[in-house]
Structure formats: C-alpha cells, structure tokens
Amino acid sequence: MSEGRIIEGVYVGWDNIRECFSLDPAVSHLNHGSFGAVPIGVQRAQQRLRDEMEANPLRFFTQGLVDRIAHTRRHLAGFLGADPDGSALVGNTTTGVAVVLQSVDLKAGDEVLSTDHGYGAVSLAIQRECRRTGAVSRVLPIPLAATDEQIVQSIRAGLRPGRTRLLVVDQLTSATAKLFPTAAIVGVAREHGVPVLVDAAHAPGMLSTPVAGIGADFWVGNLHKWAYAPRGTALLTVAPQWRDRIEPLVVSWEQESGFPARLEWQATLDYTPWLAAPAGLFTMRSLGVDRVRAHNAALAAYGQRVVGDALGVAPADLPDPGGPGVALRLIPLPAGTGTTIDAARALQARIGERLAAEVAVMSWNGRGWLRLTGQVYNAADEYERLGARLPALLAQR
Ligand SMILES: Cc1ncc(COP(=O)(O)O)c(C=O)c1O
C-alpha cells in the first residue's frame, strides 16, 4: 500500500496520506461516518471559490451561479449513477428527507412505514410530519442478523396497501452498519403501489454507483461523508412522476423554473461546498475509487476483529454488514454498557478524552455498540491501541 498517487497535482504515497487531511495527529479518527473529513486539496478548492465570491459577491451570485450548480450536479450525479436531470443538490440528507416528507401529501389516516434501523433524526422528522398531517408513523422491527430474504419478507408483510403512503428505508444503516437489499425492497413496494424514500446518507463514495438500478421514488445521499466533499453537499434523486410535485422547504427566485432548480436555489447561501464537491471526487479518483473502497472496508473489518477480540467477543458474534465494501463495523459492548442514547454519548466522549480515539458509540434496541470506520488516513495500529486500552476504561465504569 505504499505506491504513490497524485492529489491535486501533489505526489503522495499512502504512507503519508494522513498529511493530506487537517486531522489532529494526536487523535485516532475512527469515526469517519458521522461527519466525514475534508482533504486539504478540497478545502483549498473551496477556499478559492470563497475568494472569488468575496472579490465580487454580486457577480458571483448573479452571473452564472445557477449554471455552475447545474454543472456540479451533473458531475456528482454521474459518479453516483443517478439521472442528472432527475436529481437536485441539497444541503444534507436530513434536508432531503424533509423535502420528500412534505411533498408526498400525507393525509389523516395515512401511514409512513420505516424500520427500527432508521436514523434517529429521520425518525423525528417522520414523527413531526405525521403530527402535522394526522398521518401515523409505524416502525417495523428487523433483527440485526436478518438475511436479505428475511428483510424483504418482513417489509412485504409490513406494507398496508392503500394506507402505507411512504416507505422509508436505509441503504446502509447508521446505528447497525447493515446493508439493506434496497433494490429488492423497492421492487416489493412497487408491486404494492407504495412509494419509497431511500436514506442513503452513507452510500456515496462507499458503494459503487449506489443509485443505479435501485428505482426508488426518492433517494438521498451525502457526498460529505465518504466522497470527500465539503460539508453541506447531498444529492436527492426524484423519480419522474414526482418531479412536478416536489417542493423546496424555502421558496426562492427559481420557484417558477421547476425541478431541480427550485430545490437548489435557496436564496443567499454559501454554495461553495457544492461547487468544490467535484474536487472530492477528483481526490477519490486520483487515489483509485475501488482501491479506496477496498482499503477502507478491509481496515474497518480488521478493526472490528482486533477490538472485538480485546473485548472478548467471539468472531461469530461480530455483526456482518451483509455485503462487500462497507467501511462501518459494529462491535457489541459488554451488557449494560451504552444502552441508552445518553449513556452512549457519555461513553463516546470518555473514549475520546481518555483514549484519544474518536469512535461512535450507539445504543440500538437496548444494547450498546461501538462503531468503527476505516479510511485512507487510518492505520492498523490505531485499532490495536484502542483494543489494548478500551477494556480497562470500560471496567472503570
Ligand atoms: C442513515 C443516516 N441518515 C441521515 C443522516 C443525516 O445526515 P446529515 O446530518 O448529513 O443530514 C445520517 C448521518 O449520519 C445517517 O447516518
């Protein structure tokens, strides 16, 4: 893994790739999944755009910005296997979810179906939209070890045609690091006439062309997690039959232009994250997209094994993401540890402070889990150090 690569014209080898990020070298950054990390070359690309904006704000906003945004969207959509004319840039997955929820015209008695693997803030958004409209939120339990077939069966059995107005599923779950058989789920929902929103927050940069072949009514994913884009960059794709009905959260000057410009132009905002996002893809391509993905997934799996072993977890009890390429891995914590959101957050902070390791601690279905990630800037010894020190910290309580 020491072969050199070019990033924004600078030759680097994998061995010093960490220097291409601003990350604090005193800390092991083992939670890329929550907020990503922006390579310095991408930060610089964004800064150049900010310099241009500040040199002449009026010109920046009024001459060609809508077209530059459209150009960026085409670039990002191509990378994801999405239809560029059927996609819109949005600030983040949470925003994309909110846009969809308010556009599907929920009514009293309708139901929004989701699973117990869904992201917490997305569940809150569903609950609020249901309160506002009189619809009902129903959450389907899916066992962590469920096979693809079992997941599809559960969802098929859970749909209530005529009542279920929207199904919300994750492509790759956050709390449980599990790949869902999204295309098959969408197929089943379509048979029953139920529209599907795919929360693909982690998919861009982690899964190969994650939109292609899914066929969802709505799909939204973050470029700012695994595709090295500046924060505030996500893509929402919308099936043709919905494009005239989808409404932005904020009405602004492009409202009459229809989809996607009406979603993308959100008044005076900093649009430089979007315009710099192709530099993130360039970084990934320079390193080798498949090579980055394979490296990240292999490192996360190694970390799971090492830390799992340190905590006395048998390999068979380490959850498998259910497919290749996933750079998020779970390790069960000892019984009674991190079982509530508050306890999980407190433990995560304690690991950060005492062990100089940033990790995700998740509580899911009454059990605490450690979630580790792998990235190009990580090395095997970071997981080994965590494994060596974590048992003593957990024993302190
Ligand atoms: C599955 C899932 N959905 C939604 C989100 C929210 O993403 P954002 O904060 O960028 O809106 C996340 C963030 O981690 C996530 O993991």
Side-chain angles (χ1 to χ4, degrees):
M1 285 265 178
S2 58
E3 190 187 327
R5 282 288 180 274
I6 306 289
I7 297 179
E8 288 231 323
V10 180
Y11 179 85
V12 294
W14 280 88
D15 290 344
N16 58 7
I17 186 113
R18 194 173 176 127
E19 288 158 27
C20 294
F21 292 81
S22 304
L23 295 164
D24 180 351
V27 175
S28 291
H29 300 273
L30 306 176
N31 180 13
H32 187 88
S34 287
F35 302 107
V38 185
I40 290 170
V42 181
Q43 295 179 43
R44 291 207 176 129
Q46 186 182 5
Q47 187 55 47
R48 285 195 291 275
L49 289 156
R50 285 194 166 130
D51 291 345
E52 182 193 338
M53 177 167 66
E54 295 311 330
N56 191 334
L58 194 82
R59 185 185 302 166
F60 185 85
F61 277 92
T62 60
Q63 292 185 25
L65 183 52
V66 171
D67 290 341
R68 287 171 86 176
I69 291 170
H71 176 79
T72 301
R73 182 215 316 135
R74 283 186 213 110
H75 206 84
L76 303 183
F79 178 74
L80 299 174
D83 172 5
D85 299 321
S87 306
L89 285 162
V90 291
N92 48 50
T93 295
T94 307
T95 301
V97 167
V99 165
V100 172
L101 286 172
Q102 68 148 28
S103 298
V104 292
D105 198 21
L106 293 173
K107 299 216 166 31
D110 288 347
E111 173 186 279
V112 178
L113 186 64
S114 56
T115 80
D116 60 351
H117 295 250
Y119 186 69
V122 169
S123 306
L124 293 172
I126 294 171
Q127 285 162 24
R128 193 190 71 165
E129 195 59 19
C130 286
R131 272 198 309 277
R132 201 178 69 78
T133 57
V136 175
S137 163
R138 192 155 59 87
V139 178
L140 210 53
I142 307 262
L144 186 57
T147 62
D148 284 359
E149 212 170 292
Q150 288 165 337
I151 295 173
V152 175
Q153 285 291 5
S154 300
I155 288 177
R156 179 181 278 118
L159 292 170
R160 291 179 184 158
R163 275 200 71 185
T164 312
R165 201 57 62 197
L166 183 70
L167 169 66
V168 182
V169 283
D170 296 44
Q171 192 160 14
L172 171 57
T173 66
S174 170
T176 53
K178 189 172 175 69
L179 269 176
F180 269 44
T182 320
I185 292 170
V186 170
V188 162
R190 178 165 298 133
E191 280 167 24
H192 293 81
V194 175
V196 184
L197 162 59
V198 176
D199 175 349
H202 287 277
M206 175 113 69
L207 306 178
S208 175
T209 54
V211 188
I214 299 291
D217 296 76
F218 313 99
W219 177 103
V220 60
N222 285 329
L223 279 295
H224 56 224
K225 286 187 186 292
W226 296 90
Y228 299 145
R231 291 178 198 87
T233 310
L235 196 81
L236 170 67
T237 74
V238 177
Q241 67 272 24
W242 290 100
R243 288 177 199 162
D244 288 342
R245 284 184 272 172
I246 195 133
E247 287 287 340
L249 297 181
V250 174
V251 173
S252 188
W253 286 103
E254 293 296 324
Q255 181 66 14
E256 301 305 324
S257 306
F259 181 87
R262 70 158 59 137
L263 254 69
E264 291 176 337
W265 190 263
Q266 292 283 277
T268 312
L269 273 188
D270 185 357
Y271 294 94
T272 62
W274 296 355
L275 302 185
L281 302 188
F282 176 74
T283 305
M284 243 191 134
R285 287 184 170 125
S286 302
L287 293 166
V289 175
D290 291 340
R291 186 178 170 134
V292 168
R293 278 208 292 259
H295 167 92
N296 293 350
L299 205 49
Y302 176 76
Q304 183 191 38
R305 278 199 306 279
V306 167
V307 177
D309 185 47
L311 295 184
V313 182
D317 294 331
L318 293 170
D320 184 328
V326 177
L328 293 166
R329 290 277 182 153
L330 286 191
I331 298 136
L333 288 168
T337 304
T339 53
T340 64
I341 290 183
D342 286 348
R345 284 184 180 154
L347 177 58
Q348 179 174 305
R350 211 147 61 90
I351 293 172
E353 280 160 25
R354 304 262 187 91
L355 306 187
E358 298 299 350
V359 299
V361 180
M362 307 289 192
S363 81
W364 187 75
N365 276 3
R367 167 120 219 202
W369 302 85
L370 191 70
R371 192 190 72 187
L372 299 179
T373 57
Q375 248 306 337
V376 293
Y377 51 75
N378 291 127
D381 63 353
E382 295 181 285
Y383 306 91
E384 291 157 9
R385 264 198 313 278
L386 177 65
R389 300 178 64 194
L390 187 58
L393 182 96
L394 294 178
Q396 280 168 19
R397 292 287 162 103

